[in-house]
Structure formats: structure tokens, C-alpha cells
Amino acid sequence: MMKRSPLKPALALMLAAGLLSACSLAPTYQRPAAPVAAEFPAVPPAGGAPAQPAPAADAKTAVDTGWREYFADARLQQLIAAALDNNRDLRVAVLRMEEARAAYDIQWADRLPNLNVGLSETRGKSPASVSSNGQVSRNQRYDANLAIPAFELDFFGRVKSLSDAALASYLATDEARQSAQIGIVAEVAKAYFTERAFAEQYALAQRTYEARKRTLDLTQQRVEVGASSRLDLRSNETLMETARASALALARQRAQAANALTLLVGQGVNADGAMASDAQIDAMSALPAGLPSDLLARRPDIRAAEQRLQAANANIGAARAAFFPRVSLTAAIGSASPSFSGLFDGGTGSWSFVPQLTLPIFDAGRNKANLKLSEVRKNIAVADYEKTIQIAFREVADALAARTYLGEQVAAQRAIQEAQSERLRLLQLRFENGVASSLDVLDAQRELFSAEQSLVQARLLRATSAIDLYRALGGGLK
């Protein structure tokens, strides 16, 4: 008759525990309702201007538009690719994800029994004074065993709940990494366009300074022959120095913008190229907004907040399970012999089976407080999730408003610049014919320079608002 293995009951018990561990005391998860309106607020056109054209019906959404497709500038694409490889903030986000994955692997391992192999030797000597036969006794023993140490039978889902919480935390950090990547793409693009705008303004200020210097030299010659007054000379000198001061300020701002871009990219950069054209900005702005509910699937920061909420929900299950008995099992099977050579001879088999049940009787309210703590943390996670949705809703709404009004603002600013340019041309003609004064010409030059600088700033604002819309709608991962 075949002898029944002593570990079979233990294995059967562990199998039953594995089946029962599918039960969990965690509350059934329900996604909170989005605390925002069903649609983004309508943005009426300002000043009676016609509304901006709506995106085409077949236009790609932001989440389906990769950053290489969205940003057509080849130099900008190189900078973004370098930033995704070198940026330290993004590298930390990746390492945080790997840290959370390792923590989840550790927690998940508790759901399976550990299996250890042991080999030991024990030697001892007892003096005659304590020996039962009055003689010195010596003993020697060798043991070899296969053991399952202290495996918790997860009848009430405590270990499973902790594993579920660790998995949700890992998924949250992965979503945070994706959110960081979108942020890096957007920030590099904004820093690049900012540096290019300062470069364009600097070149404009430098050209203006050189033109005014030539005008000052000509006025100096006219003063020397009595054709102009010293007032005209000082007025021209003021305009020239104003342009020089503007050029120096813009040079400083451009250098600082280049430093910010270098920090984002993670290596030295040599930015070149031009500011995005109006056609490129129009193409970037033509993104369908969709509905606020779409953000729940598009935005990784919202998905990360929901994963943190699910982790908090699972921790409630673990806290509830702590009120119930905890059953653990230690088992071993092996061989024991007084000599190493006879360790695996017949008749040397050994086994042990140690089930243990621990029932909490008095813990000074610790388990109750832990349950309260987990419930409060879930409520905090709910509030954080709802706030993340509200922030996302506002970011999209702001970007949509900027798309409408900044397009009109750029058009108006360009009209101002063109009008000032024509005004200067006409005043120069009148001055040459002796109808207008030199002060009128100087005033027109000053206002044209201001209009040109304001146009560059308005175009930069429109470009950065298009980037903000792309980011707010969840684009930038590909």
C-alpha cells in the first residue's frame, strides 16, 4: 500500500486558499462622476470679428497626432528627441516607474508560497554531569529538507488587496511618466519658439539701431551746415539709444531663453531656424476639442489620479481583512541522519507541518484606526481625482479661448504694423517736401518699432497657446 505524502493536505489547503483569495473585502470600485460641464464653454468672437473656422470634421485628435507630425520644424524635432533621451526630470519619472514596478513584483510574490532547500549539520557535546548515563555524550546530525516557510493562506483577500494596491500604484507612476513626457515635449517646443521670437526681435532691434545711427550721422551733418537744429539731433540720438537699449535687453533675454532650452534638452544646443509661420500656427491650432469626457481617456495625469484612487480603494480591503483571522502555514519534507553518507538512505525521511492561526483580540484600536486611515486616504484620492479633471477642463477651455482671440489679435496687430509702416512712409514724403516736421517722423519711427515688436510677441503667444491646447488635449506621446 502506497504511503500518503504528508504534504498533500498542505498543498490542498494552499490550493483552496488560492481559490478563496479571489474574494476581496475591498469596496466595489466606481469611477466618480466628472465634476465639470458636459461641454466646453463656447467662445464668442470679440469685437464683431468673424468666428475662427472650426477644425475639419476629419481632423485628427491630439492623442492621435504624434509630436513629430504636430511640429513640422526639423530642428525642433531634433531638440525634442534629444530632450526625451537626456532630460533629467523625465529620467527620474522613468526610474520612479521602475521603482513602483519592483515594489509591485515584491508584493505580488507574497501571493505564492516560497520554496526553500536547506542542508544543515548539527554537532553537540554534553558533559557527564548532565548526562542521563553519567558519561560524556556527543551527537552529530545532518538534515536536508524542502520547506515552505510561513505562507499566508489569503482567505480574506488581505494579500490580494495589497497586491492590487501595488499594481495600481505602479500603473499610476507609468501614467505619470507619460504625463512628464507630454510636458517635456510641450516645454521644449515653447522654449524653442520663445528663443526664436527673442532672436527675431533682437534682429529687428539691431536693424532699427543701425538705421537710426545712420539717420543720426546724417542729422549731425545737417546740423553742422545749419540745415537742422540741435533738437532734431538730440531726438534722433534718443531714438538710436532706445533701439540700442532694446537690442541689449533682447540679447539678454535670448541668452536666458537659450539656457532654459539647454536645461530642458539636457545638453548644449545651437538653436537656429525661424519662428513658426502663420500657416504652421494655423495648422497646429486646428485640433478638435471633443468633449470633456474624452479627457478621461486622453490625459495621463487624469488616468494616474484614477489609478491612485483605485490603490486607495484596494488598501481599504487590506485594512478590513486585518479584523479577521490570519492563517499561515509552514511545512517541510526531507531527510535526517547522524552521518552525511547515510542522509538519503531508506528510513531517514522526516517532515513537519505547522499551521498557525492568529486572531486579533486586543490591539488598542490599531486595526480600527488603520481602516479609518485608509478610508480617509480614499476620500483624499477622490478629491484629487476630481480636482485633476477640473484643472484639465480649465486648461482646455483656456486654450480654446486663446485659439479664438489670439488669432484675431495677431490679425489686428499685423494691421497696426502695416498702418504704422505706411504712416511712416507718408510722413517721410511730407518731411522731404517741407510739410511735416522731423519730430512727426521720429514719432512714427518709434511707433512702428513698437508695433513690429508687439506683432512678434502676439505671434509667439498664439504659437504657445497652440502648444498648450495640444498638451491639454493629451497629445505628444508618439
Side-chain angles (χ1 to χ4, degrees):
M1 181 177 177
M2 182 178 294
K3 186 177 180 181
R4 184 181 180 186
S5 170
L7 285 185
K8 283 187 176 180
L11 294 175
L13 187 59
M14 284 187 289
L15 178 60
L19 295 174
L20 288 173
S21 66
C23 302
S24 174
L25 298 180
T28 302
Y29 174 74
Q30 293 182 344
R31 174 185 288 177
V36 293
E39 295 182 354
F40 294 111
V43 184
Q52 293 293 304
D58 58 348
K60 282 188 176 182
T61 62
V63 74
D64 295 324
T65 305
W67 60 263
R68 292 185 183 275
E69 181 181 357
Y70 189 72
F71 300 109
D73 190 306
R75 179 55 179 158
L76 176 56
Q77 291 179 355
Q78 294 175 357
L79 294 175
I80 292 175
L84 294 178
D85 290 336
N86 301 318
N87 184 270
R88 271 53 178 183
D89 289 336
L90 186 58
R91 188 174 299 176
V92 169
V94 172
L95 293 174
R96 293 293 185 195
M97 181 196 69
E98 295 177 359
E99 176 187 31
R101 176 56 188 267
Y104 164 65
D105 289 341
I106 293 171
Q107 191 63 57
W108 185 87
D110 288 341
R111 300 181 66 177
L112 297 177
N114 294 333
L115 193 62
N116 298 334
V117 174
L119 181 63
S120 63
E121 175 189 7
T122 304
R123 295 186 181 186
K125 174 185 175 182
S126 298
S129 59
V130 297
S131 177
S132 59
N133 56 10
Q135 297 179 352
V136 175
S137 64
R138 291 181 174 85
N139 54 63
Q140 181 175 347
R141 174 174 173 167
Y142 292 89
D143 289 274
N145 59 66
L146 187 65
I148 300 174
F151 173 62
E152 181 176 347
L153 305 180
D154 196 23
F155 290 112
F156 302 101
R158 188 188 74 88
V159 178
K160 181 181 183 300
S161 294
L162 291 176
S163 178
D164 291 343
L167 175 60
S169 296
Y170 159 65
L171 295 176
T173 56
D174 184 44
E175 297 291 355
R177 176 195 61 82
Q178 296 182 38
S179 182
Q181 180 175 332
I182 293 177
I184 290 298
V185 170
E187 291 304 318
V188 170
K190 291 168 72 173
Y192 174 75
F193 286 138
T194 299
E195 194 277 337
R196 290 292 82 204
F198 281 134
E200 186 175 332
Q201 288 181 303
Y202 170 74
L204 177 62
Q206 192 66 24
R207 289 195 301 269
T208 302
Y209 166 72
E210 293 171 356
R212 290 178 180 178
K213 187 175 185 303
R214 290 192 296 269
T215 302
L216 178 64
D217 293 339
L218 181 59
T219 305
Q220 178 69 43
Q221 295 173 6
R222 291 170 61 88
V223 169
E224 291 174 355
V225 298
S228 293
S229 66
R230 295 187 64 82
L231 177 61
D232 291 338
L233 179 65
R234 293 309 177 194
S235 297
N236 277 281
E237 183 179 8
T238 299
L239 281 182
M240 183 196 73
E241 293 299 337
T242 300
R244 178 170 175 266
S246 297
L248 292 172
L250 289 167
R252 171 184 56 79
Q253 292 173 316
R254 179 188 177 186
Q256 292 173 340
N259 293 336
L261 183 59
T262 298
L263 177 62
L264 287 169
V265 174
Q267 63 183 27
V269 298
N270 182 20
D272 52 15
M275 176 64 186
S277 65
D278 289 340
Q280 290 175 327
I281 299 176
D282 290 340
M284 289 193 299
S285 299
L287 285 174
L291 298 174
S293 58
D294 297 335
L295 295 180
L296 302 183
R298 290 176 180 174
R299 298 249 317 204
D301 57 337
I302 295 178
R303 297 197 300 265
E306 185 173 13
Q307 290 295 342
R308 291 192 293 270
L309 174 56
Q310 293 184 15
N313 191 73
N315 282 328
I316 292 178
R320 287 176 175 176
F323 288 91
F324 294 87
R326 185 178 302 180
V327 180
S328 62
L329 173 66
T330 299
I333 184 172
S335 178
S337 173
S339 64
F340 185 77
S341 60
L343 187 58
F344 298 102
D345 291 346
T348 61
S350 65
W351 61 271
S352 64
F353 178 64
V354 186
Q356 182 179 11
L357 183 145
T358 304
L359 178 65
I361 299 299
F362 175 74
D363 61 2
R366 181 185 301 275
N367 287 338
K368 185 176 180 180
N370 279 332
L371 177 58
K372 180 64 176 178
L373 177 63
S374 62
E375 291 173 343
V376 171
R377 285 177 174 172
K378 179 187 175 181
N379 292 335
I380 293 173
V382 170
D384 178 67
Y385 174 70
E386 293 175 341
K387 180 181 178 181
T388 303
I389 293 176
Q390 291 175 333
I391 291 174
F393 181 88
R394 177 193 171 181
E395 288 176 351
V396 175
D398 286 349
L400 292 174
R403 178 170 69 180
T404 298
Y405 296 132
L406 284 176
E408 298 176 7
Q409 181 178 337
V410 169
Q413 195 63 51
R414 179 171 282 106
I416 293 173
Q417 184 263 337
E418 292 172 353
Q420 289 292 350
S421 178
E422 179 65 13
R423 174 174 176 250
L424 175 60
R425 187 185 69 81
L426 294 175
L427 282 173
Q428 286 176 332
L429 289 176
R430 290 168 61 86
F431 174 70
E432 292 171 1
N433 293 324
V435 178
S437 69
S438 61
L439 294 179
D440 293 333
V441 175
L442 295 176
D443 182 66
Q445 289 177 343
R446 181 174 59 253
E447 293 187 5
L448 174 60
F449 177 69
S450 176
E452 290 172 334
Q453 296 282 2
S454 296
L455 177 58
V456 176
Q457 279 294 327
R459 293 181 61 246
L460 173 62
L461 283 174
R462 187 165 181 238
T464 54
S465 72
I467 297 170
D468 288 336
L469 178 61
Y470 181 62
R471 177 181 182 176
L473 292 175
L477 285 176
K478 300 178 183 177

